[in-house]
Amino acid sequence: MAMNKRSRLITHGDARSPNRAMLRAVGFGDNDFEKPIVGVANGHSNMNPCNAGIQPLVDRAMAALRSAGAMPQVFGVPTITDGIGMGTEAMKYSLVSREVIADAVETSVNGQAMDGVLVCGLLVEKMPAGMIAMARINVPGIYVYAGTIKPGKWKGQDLTVVSAFEAVGAFSAGKMAREDFIGIEKNACPTVGACGGMFTANTMSSIAEAIGMSLPGTASPPAIDGRREADARMAGEAVVNLLRLGITPRMIMTKKAFENAIAVTSALGGSTNAVLHLLAIANEAGVDLELEDFNRIAAKVPHIADMKPGGKYHMSDLDRVGGVPVVLKHLLDAGLLHGDCLTVTGKTMAENLADINPPAPDGDVVHPLTNPIHAEGGIVVRSEEHT
C-alpha cells in the first residue's frame, strides 16, 4: 500500500507543478514528493504551563518522522486553559475551543491532503479535540501527551492548582493567613505541565492510552521527565508504521475500545468531563455510545486509584508505581478489559501490556480490586428516576 496515497493528489503529475513549487519553498526536494506527508498539530505556547513545554517534543517527533521516511508539516492550534479562564467570562471559550481545535486539525490535514497526523499537546480540550479530529478525518494518527505538572510544596503540603482555588475560599473566609495564601499561589505550579491530579487533562491522557490512540505507558510521566522526548520520538516512528500497515483511527476506536476507556476512568476516579468528551469522540468515530454504558461498566469496575481531587495522590505518584499500565493490566487480568483491541502500536492491548509487564497494584496509590476505595466505579450517571 502506498503511504502517500492522499498527498500524491497534490504532489504528482505535470498539473501539480505549481503545488510542488510551493512545497519546495518550505524544504521539499526532488525525492520528498514520494514520501508520505504527516501533519504535526503543535500545541506549544507560553499562554499557560499546560502547553509551555511542548516544542521540544514536537521537534523530536518531527525528526523521527523524517528519519522514518515521512515529510512532517507543522501547524498550530489554539491553547487556552480552564485554569486561567476559571471564574471569568473567558471560561465561556473553554469547551468551544475543543471544536475550534478539532476543526483546525481537520482543516489543516484535509486542506493539504496529508497522509497522517500526530497531535501533540495537553491542555484540557486539546486531547479530546485531537481524538475527535482523528476520528473524523480517519487518517493514520497518534496522540502525544506532553505530561503532567509536578506537585508544588508549601510547608510540607503537596499542592496542585486546585490548592490555590481552595485557598481563595479559605482566605476570604478568614481561615487562612496571608502568608500561606501567597505561599500557596507562588508554589502551586512549580513546573510546566497539566494540572497534577486526576483532573480532566490527566483523565483524558489515561483515556487516550486506554482507547489505544497513545503509546502504552505515556499517560503518566511528568512533563519535565526525560522520557517525554523518547515518547515523542517513538510516536513519530509509530505514525509511519501505522501508514505502512494501513491502520486508521476508526479501526482502533471501536465500541470495545470505548468500553476500555470507561473502565479505566471508573478505576481511576477520573473527571466527569470524560463523559461529554467520550460521547463526542464516539460520535465522530461512528460508535454508538450511551450514558447507560458508563453505568453498566461502573457497576463492574470499582474505583481503585486514590487520586486527587477526591483522594491523596498526584499523577506523578501513579507514574511512580507503574502508571496507567498497572491499572490496565489489573483490569485485564480480572476480565474487565478487552485485551483484543487494536492500538497505535499495531498490536493489541493485551500484547502491549505483556511487553510492558507492569507491576501489580501497590495497595496505596492503586488498590487491588479485592480492596477497592469504592465498590462502584468513579463515574455513575444518575437520572431523575434513580434519585
Side-chain angles (χ1 to χ4, degrees):
M1 181 182 296
M3 291 194 291
N4 65 336
K5 64 179 181 179
R6 278 170 50 98
S7 62
R8 66 186 293 113
L9 296 175
I10 61 171
T11 61
H12 277 236
D14 292 343
R16 300 283 77 81
S17 177
N19 312 59
R20 292 192 297 273
M22 295 191 74
L23 289 172
R24 288 179 189 278
V26 293
F28 279 64
D30 289 345
N31 297 326
D32 296 329
F33 298 113
E34 300 301 324
K35 299 174 182 177
I37 296 175
V38 175
V40 178
N42 184 0
H44 177 82
S45 80
N46 67 354
M47 290 171 63
N48 49 69
C50 307
N51 297 279
I54 291 175
Q55 191 60 49
L57 306 185
V58 169
D59 293 341
R60 185 62 61 93
M62 291 182 69
L65 285 162
R66 290 190 185 94
S67 294
M71 287 300 290
Q73 291 191 309
V74 66
F75 57 90
V77 296
T79 60
I80 66 168
T81 182
D82 292 3
I84 293 175
M86 194 76 72
T88 74
E89 288 290 301
M91 191 62 188
K92 293 179 179 179
Y93 292 88
S94 179
L95 185 56
V96 173
S97 74
R98 185 189 73 182
E99 307 310 312
V100 175
I101 295 164
D103 290 346
V105 175
E106 177 190 7
T107 300
S108 298
V109 173
N110 282 348
Q112 291 203 200
M114 294 174 179
D115 300 293
V117 63
L118 183 150
V119 182
C120 187
L122 56 70
L123 81 161
V124 172
E125 308 300 349
K126 190 165 193 293
M127 281 174 286
M131 287 190 280
I132 285 171
M134 286 189 282
R136 185 185 297 168
I137 58 184
N138 201 36
V139 300
I142 194 168
Y143 194 91
V144 178
Y145 186 50
T148 183
I149 201 168
K150 295 280 282 185
K153 292 279 188 182
W154 177 248
K155 293 185 176 180
Q157 176 187 357
D158 284 345
L159 304 175
T160 69
V161 69
V162 170
S163 305
F165 281 107
E166 292 171 344
V168 171
F171 181 70
S172 299
K175 297 179 180 179
M176 178 178 287
R178 174 166 285 277
E179 176 195 6
D180 293 324
F181 179 60
I182 299 300
I184 290 172
E185 175 187 327
K186 290 184 175 182
N187 292 280
C189 299
T191 69
V192 298
C195 299
M198 192 52 66
F199 309 127
T200 304
N202 283 325
T203 297
M204 292 309 300
S205 74
S206 302
I207 282 173
E209 189 173 325
I211 211 168
M213 288 302 297
S214 287
L215 291 175
T218 59
S220 63
I224 60 173
D225 193 295
R227 287 172 289 171
R228 282 293 171 200
E229 292 194 10
D231 291 343
R233 173 184 56 78
M234 290 188 291
E237 295 168 351
V239 174
V240 177
N241 187 50
L242 291 169
L243 282 161
R244 187 176 296 113
L245 297 174
I247 295 174
T248 60
R250 292 185 197 172
M251 297 167 67
I252 294 171
M253 288 193 274
T254 62
K255 181 62 178 284
K256 285 184 176 182
F258 279 94
E259 289 179 343
N260 284 350
I262 296 171
V264 80
T265 304
S266 293
L268 291 171
S271 169
T272 54
N273 283 337
V275 177
L276 63 92
H277 291 319
L278 281 171
L279 290 172
I281 298 165
N283 180 64
E284 296 292 349
V287 171
D288 182 19
L289 194 67
E290 305 288 342
L291 289 176
E292 188 52 39
D293 290 317
F294 291 84
N295 294 338
R296 172 175 55 84
I297 293 170
K300 297 187 300 181
V301 180
H303 174 209
I304 59 173
D306 194 7
M307 306 293 293
K308 286 181 175 292
K312 295 187 294 185
Y313 293 108
H314 298 78
M315 192 62 155
S316 56
D317 294 307
L318 180 62
D319 180 63
R320 171 173 52 80
V321 300
V324 174
V326 169
V327 178
L328 291 172
K329 181 65 162 55
H330 195 45
L331 296 178
L332 178 67
D333 290 345
L336 297 172
L337 201 75
H338 302 293
D340 58 345
C341 289
L342 188 63
T343 74
V344 288
T345 65
K347 299 178 180 181
T348 66
M349 177 65 70
E351 289 171 331
N352 288 342
L353 292 171
D355 289 343
I356 295 175
N357 190 27
D362 69 312
D364 186 20
V365 180
V366 180
H367 293 216
L369 290 164
T370 54
N371 183 32
I373 299 167
H374 299 104
E376 196 171 44
I379 293 181
V380 178
V381 184
R382 299 295 191 198
S383 64
E384 289 185 5
E385 63 188 61
H386 290 127
T387 59

